[in-house]
Amino acid sequence: VDYLKYDSCNAFQIPLKWRYERMRNALNETGRPIFFSMCEWGQEDPANWAREYANSWRTTEDIYDAWVSFLDILDRQVEISHLGGPGGWNDPDMLEVGNGGMTTSEYEAHFALWALLKSPLLIGCDLTTMTEDTKRILMNEEIIELNQDDLGKPGVRLWQRQGEHGLYEVWVGELSGNELGVIMFNRGEETTQITVSYEELKWNGQHANVRDLYARQDLGLVAGELRFDVPSHSVKVLRAVSYTHLTLPTIYSVQISVVAVSLKKK
């Protein structure tokens, strides 16, 4: 066994932390690394305490294959995304990509945002019937690299704004090697131009090399700001390399602990 998920179904009369502590201890006693995924559906705010017990913790109730469910769960990550990091990860639930309830662009948004959040990327569709679009999304190694970056800092929502056709927002995550992942996300019903300045991103410099990760295209040296037309219910996923040192504001900081699958006993 390499991965164990421990639910709380029909166990509400048993103290929560007592159960998870016993399982943590039992897994540690096996003498081999086993990833411990804890699930109590975020009911007792596990992002604030579960690192002592597990390697990941569910932050919400179960996702289902619909745009409204994806958005609801995404919004619940805004206040807690910074609490994840090496050794303990927020888990907003498995991926719905390929199950048929959302459009291709909505699935692209779902996958990219889960990746930037450093969420566990657990495929939830039937592997034997995946479409070419599903394979293209789930097998995009450049998006996966955002998730697996050595620094391990989850992305955060920089801001959300109301446009003429609906909400749009920018998510950003610091990456190793003085790089930055940026996702422009259009929730609205029409194509919207989204602009974020390097000043907003807290870059010390006015130029960056930028790559579009879904298009798999280098955009070259871009000055001053990132500006793109983003279709309805879609994302623009970018990786940027600054020419000068990157300084991030307080909202990006997370407490980084030693990476270890084995968990401490009290």
Side-chain angles (χ1 to χ4, degrees):
V1 176
D2 298 303
Y3 177 96
L4 183 138
K5 179 186 176 186
Y6 191 5
D7 269 333
S8 284
C9 300
N10 302 311
F12 297 110
Q13 302 305 314
I14 305 174
L16 186 70
K17 293 182 181 179
W18 180 85
R19 288 188 292 108
Y20 289 127
E21 182 178 31
R22 291 193 73 188
M23 181 59 76
R24 175 201 67 190
N25 293 345
L27 294 177
N28 282 340
E29 287 171 3
T30 66
R32 63 187 302 276
I34 299 173
F35 190 98
F36 183 20
S37 172
M38 194 188 91
C39 177
E40 50 77 76
W41 310 288
Q43 293 176 348
E44 296 189 24
D45 301 317
N48 291 300
W49 55 265
R51 180 180 292 269
E52 180 181 344
Y53 298 87
N55 301 113
S56 69
W57 45 86
R58 280 278 302 280
T59 57
T60 67
E61 67 276 5
D62 294 350
I63 194 172
Y64 60 93
D65 187 22
W67 172 248
V68 292
S69 176
F70 156 53
L71 291 183
D72 176 58
I73 289 179
L74 176 65
D75 286 340
R76 298 190 196 194
Q77 310 313 304
V78 172
E79 298 299 325
I80 63 170
S81 63
H82 65 285
L83 297 174
W89 309 97
N90 290 314
D91 179 4
D93 207 2
M94 65 198 307
L95 296 163
E96 293 291 347
V97 178
N99 284 326
M102 289 189 271
T103 66
T104 297
S105 62
E106 290 168 353
Y107 282 141
E108 288 178 342
H110 176 24
F111 185 63
L113 285 159
W114 260 227
L116 192 69
L117 284 165
K118 303 299 188 290
S119 305
L121 299 179
L122 301 176
I123 296 174
C125 68
D126 185 342
L127 300 181
T128 67
T129 60
M130 289 193 299
T131 66
E132 290 305 310
D133 271 337
T134 297
K135 293 177 185 178
R136 175 182 58 80
I137 295 169
L138 293 176
M139 297 171 68
N140 186 315
E141 67 276 6
E142 296 189 53
I143 303 292
I144 295 171
E145 285 172 4
L146 295 180
N147 183 260
Q148 297 292 302
D149 181 76
D150 289 341
L151 195 60
K153 282 194 174 183
V156 299
R157 189 165 73 187
L158 184 64
W159 48 253
Q160 183 185 79
R161 293 172 183 166
Q162 178 68 51
E164 182 180 356
H165 302 292
L167 293 171
Y168 61 94
E169 58 204 50
V170 171
W171 290 74
V172 60
E174 184 180 359
L175 304 172
S176 57
N178 196 33
E179 300 185 14
L180 200 66
V182 179
I183 298 180
M184 297 175 168
F185 180 29
N186 178 14
R187 300 180 180 225
E189 301 306 315
E190 300 288 343
T191 296
T192 298
Q193 186 174 89
I194 300 178
T195 303
V196 59
S197 70
Y198 292 170
E199 182 179 2
E200 290 177 289
L201 293 172
K202 306 301 180 185
W203 290 68
N204 290 329
Q206 286 300 308
H207 296 84
N209 261 331
V210 179
R211 181 169 173 83
D212 184 325
L213 301 191
Y214 269 130
R216 298 174 181 263
Q217 178 182 9
D218 288 324
L219 305 180
L221 198 62
V222 179
E225 65 184 18
L226 302 173
R227 181 191 300 267
F228 294 93
D229 291 332
V230 183
S232 170
H233 291 201
S234 297
V235 287
K236 177 67 74 171
V237 186
L238 307 167
R239 187 169 186 136
V241 183
S242 175
Y243 270 52
T244 54
H245 178 67
L246 173 64
T247 301
L248 293 173
T250 303
I251 60 169
Y252 295 91
S253 64
V254 298
Q255 183 177 356
I256 300 297
S257 62
V258 176
V259 179
V261 173
S262 181
L263 302 169
K264 296 179 183 177
K265 290 185 182 180
K266 279 193 166 181

